[in-house]
């Protein structure tokens, strides 16, 4: 019999969506509330609200009181009276199936978890009386927990944090740290111990065993922890003989290390040759640091390597030292270190003789500094007044400042101090870079400073063998003055040093078109020709050698 259309509509069920309805967990926030907190059906009922917001994570060590019962049945397990259970989250057998519940708890919280049979598979191996399809209920009070970190991410060093620190910064591999430690075998025998005041060492150099250096860069100042260390990060397959009245460490021994990071000094290498080192003992505030020409006020005590004080300022009613940064008013090493300091920063600055008093004997108010002495300065940055930035200056002030910096650059250049000269020329050019507030006469003056300072700076860069920077400065001049012979000549010099010979030839030929009688350009073209011949022969020999090998 044929079906009417209405009959067909009634008999065809609406299509089902392939996409499952999105699960939204509900975490109870009030006492006696209950919610389903996982897709797998784990329920949580809040009985007592805990403190704070921190919660344990998988792998952490927790301490709990608990009762475990079968829903509709009897209690099958509980923590002993006065003896809470200590377990690792996610690795316990007793509290089976609700890791996701534990990590929602706060310290002091009491909750009841209802766990469906799908999550408790295998618990009958420990409790045979539990029916196979039983739903279980756990009443859990979270007493405390310790954060546990897999330091090397291979199980070789586990760190259990005993006390956290509010300090944000952590030590780095290049820093110097002070630690206290006690090393025990698994049976509790003490086999190594630091002095009472602790041990100071560079993290990169390590101390005692690899685990300490690897753990300390995960710690904050005043943090205390227990390390469980496998042999490869402890004392290896050889162990260690008895020392300092303590027992020997057997081969392949697992050890526990009680470790405290007492303090650390942030280490900075101030100069490229790493001969001026700054160890920050108290970080400064803010972000500002002195720029060139800044007037700084510092307090310091200066000592020789043997501890003899040879200078001090700002102590015992002495005035603070006030000076201009990067103006050669104090020894180079201290000058460069102060330029990296923030207001309120305390640091120990170690200066090798190359950046101190050199090979000469120096007499001070307090002592004689022998030749080639390493100097130790305990420095506090009390304050500084920075040079006014260009955007805060009027047009006339910018031109006046540029003229002053250019003249300083000329003095340094004549003295052969090309780095200092380069810095002055660069600063002068930056102060006249933007001309929006300049009148016509001021624009002409600004143009003059930009051209002359870029050209002079290019000469500095060539002296410093920074040839690509020299070429870039000459290119800036040629954008302003396309026929500037000095810029073409100096850029060609830089190109020849970087073996960009075709570019050098283009610049020299253009310069010769502008001034056919220029002897310097003609001489440089001849040098370029000889240089090209040399490199052509060198390339030919290299090619021939390659063909011979083939």
């Amino acid at each position: 019999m044929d079906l009417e259309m209405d009959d067909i509509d009634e008999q065809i069920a609406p299509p089902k969506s392939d996409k499952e309805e999105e699960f939204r967990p509900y975490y109870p926030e009030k006492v006696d509330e209950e919610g389903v907190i996982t897709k797998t059906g784990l329920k949580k009922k809040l009985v007592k609200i805990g403190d704070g917001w921190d919660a344990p994570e998988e792998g952490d060590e927790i301490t709990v009181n608990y009762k475990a019962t079968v829903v509709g049945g009897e209690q099958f397990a509980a923590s002993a009276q006065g003896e809470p259970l200590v377990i690792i989250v996610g690795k316990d057998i007793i509290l089976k199936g609700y890791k996701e519940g534990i990590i929602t708890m706060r310290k002091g919280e009491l909750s009841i978890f209802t766990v469906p049979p799908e999550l408790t598979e295998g618990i009958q191996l420990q409790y045979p009386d539990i029916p196979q399809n039983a739903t279980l209920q756990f009443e859990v009070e979270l007493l405390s927990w310790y954060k546990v970190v897999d330091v090397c991410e291979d199980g070789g060093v586990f760190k259990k944090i005993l006390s956290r620190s509010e300090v944000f910064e952590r030590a780095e591999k290049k820093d110097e740290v002070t630690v206290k430690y006690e090393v025990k075998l698994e049976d509790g025998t003490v086999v190594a111990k630091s002095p009472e005041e602790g041990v100071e060492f560079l993290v990169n150099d390590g101390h005692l065993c690899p685990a300490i250096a690897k753990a300390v860069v995960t710690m904050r100042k005043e943090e205390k922890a227990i390390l469980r260390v496998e042999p490869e990060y402890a004392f290896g397959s050889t162990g260690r003989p008895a020392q300092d009245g303590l027992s020997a460490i057997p081969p392949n021994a697992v050890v526990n290390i009680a470790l405290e990071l007492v303090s650390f000094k942030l280490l900075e290498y101030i100069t490229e040759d790493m001969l001026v080192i700054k160890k920050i003992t108290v970080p400064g505030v803010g972000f500002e640091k002195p720029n060139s020409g800044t007037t700084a006020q510092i307090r310091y005590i200066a000592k020789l390597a043997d501890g003899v004080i040879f200078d001090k300022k700002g102590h015992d009613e002495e005035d603070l030292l006030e000076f201009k940064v990067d103006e050669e008013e104090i020894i180079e090493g201290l000058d460069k270190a102060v330029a990296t300091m923030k207001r309120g920063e305390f640091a120990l600055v170690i200066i090798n003789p190359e950046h101190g008093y050199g090979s000469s004997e120096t007499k001070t108010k307090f002592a004689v500094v022998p030749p080639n002495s390493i100097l130790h300065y305990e420095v506090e940055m009390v304050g500084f007044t920075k040079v006014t930035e260009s955007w805060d200056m009027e047009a006339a002030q910018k031109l006046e400042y540029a003229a002053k910096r250019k003249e300083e650059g000329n003095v340094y250049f004549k003295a052969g101090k090309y780095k200092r000269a380069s810095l002055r020329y660069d600063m002068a050019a930056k102060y006249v870079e933007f001309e929006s507030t300049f009148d016509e006469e001021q624009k002409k003056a600004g143009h003059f400073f930009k051209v002359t300072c870029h050209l002079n700076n290019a000469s500095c860069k060539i002296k410093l063998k920074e040839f690509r920077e020299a070429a870039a400065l000459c290119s800036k001049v040629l954008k302003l003055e396309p026929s500037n012979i000095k810029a073409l000549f100096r850029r060609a010099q830089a190109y020849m040093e970087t073996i960009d010979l075709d570019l050098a030839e283009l610049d020299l030929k253009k310069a010769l078109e502008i001034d056919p009688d220029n002897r310097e350009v003609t001489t440089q073209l001849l040098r370029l020709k000889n240089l090209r011949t040399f490199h052509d022969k060198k390339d030919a020999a290299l090619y021939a050698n390659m063909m011979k090998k083939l």
Side-chain angles (χ1 to χ4, degrees), residues 199-470:
V199 172
E200 189 175 76
F201 65 94
L202 288 173
V203 177
N204 268 330
D205 293 344
H207 178 73
L208 192 68
C209 68
I212 290 181
K214 290 185 179 296
V216 81
V217 294
T218 70
M219 300 176 72
R220 298 175 181 176
K221 183 181 177 183
E222 297 178 358
E223 182 179 311
K224 296 179 181 180
I226 297 288
L227 310 180
R228 186 185 187 279
V229 187
E230 295 295 321
E232 61 267 33
Y233 293 105
F235 299 91
S237 59
T238 57
R240 199 186 76 167
Q243 290 184 10
D244 303 321
L246 299 172
S247 301
I249 301 171
N252 299 311
V254 174
V255 298
N256 294 302
I257 304 176
L259 184 64
E260 178 186 356
L261 177 56
V262 179
S263 64
F264 63 88
K265 298 169 185 171
L266 303 171
L267 208 66
E268 288 183 28
Y269 292 102
I270 304 301
T271 55
E272 291 181 5
D273 57 14
M274 302 172 73
L275 295 178
V276 179
I277 302 169
K278 184 180 74 166
K279 299 178 182 179
I280 301 173
T281 54
V282 178
V285 295
F287 297 96
E288 281 194 321
K289 297 177 182 178
N291 55 6
S292 184
T294 291
T295 300
Q297 300 87 32
I298 63 172
R299 177 183 289 115
Y300 69 83
I301 295 176
K303 300 177 182 178
L304 300 175
D306 60 5
V308 172
I309 295 174
F310 67 86
D311 196 10
K312 60 181 178 178
K313 292 289 183 184
H315 294 275
D316 301 327
E317 300 183 358
E318 288 262 359
D319 292 335
L320 298 172
L321 175 65
E322 184 170 286
F323 68 100
K324 287 187 176 180
V325 173
D326 200 31
E327 297 285 354
E328 296 190 312
E329 294 182 1
I330 59 175
I331 60 170
E332 182 186 35
L334 184 58
D335 194 359
K336 287 182 177 294
V338 168
T340 69
M341 297 180 71
K342 300 174 184 177
R343 289 184 178 88
E345 181 179 317
F346 286 77
L348 172 63
V349 180
I350 302 170
I351 304 171
N352 279 272
E354 291 83 347
H355 299 281
Y357 291 120
S359 58
S360 303
E361 181 179 278
T362 304
K363 293 182 179 179
T364 70
K365 177 181 176 182
F366 298 96
V368 174
V369 179
N372 300 312
S373 290
I374 296 175
L375 314 176
H376 297 254
Y377 281 81
E378 298 168 7
V379 185
E380 176 192 356
M381 171 62 85
V382 178
F384 53 83
T385 306
K386 293 184 72 173
V387 173
T388 307
E389 300 289 356
S390 61
W391 52 81
D392 291 325
M393 288 184 176
E394 299 295 331
Q397 289 178 298
K398 291 180 182 180
L399 292 169
E400 182 182 347
Y401 185 85
K404 180 182 177 183
R405 288 303 189 189
K406 175 178 175 291
E407 186 55 39
E408 289 172 353
N410 292 344
V411 172
Y412 282 127
F413 189 91
K414 290 174 184 176
K417 297 177 180 179
Y418 303 117
K419 280 191 176 182
R420 289 186 178 274
S422 173
L423 177 63
R424 294 326 188 269
Y425 292 135
D426 184 57
M427 292 172 70
K430 282 180 178 176
Y431 271 78
V432 293
E433 186 174 2
F434 301 105
E435 304 175 339
S436 57
T437 61
F438 288 14
D439 61 28
E440 288 306 312
E441 286 301 313
Q442 289 169 335
K443 284 181 180 179
K444 289 179 183 179
H447 180 92
F448 165 78
F449 283 126
K450 277 188 278 191
V451 169
T452 55
C453 288
H454 285 329
L455 283 173
N456 291 350
N457 200 359
S459 293
C460 292
K461 298 297 185 183
I462 288 172
K463 294 284 189 182
L464 294 167
K465 302 189 183 303
E466 297 172 4
F467 302 112
R468 297 203 181 278
E469 291 86 343

Side-chain angles (χ1 to χ4, degrees), residues 99-113:
K99 172 191 71 183
E100 291 83 357
I102 289 289
I103 62 179
T104 69
M105 298 185 73
R106 309 292 187 258
K107 184 178 179 181
E109 179 181 318
L110 179 64
S111 289
I112 296 173
F113 295 94

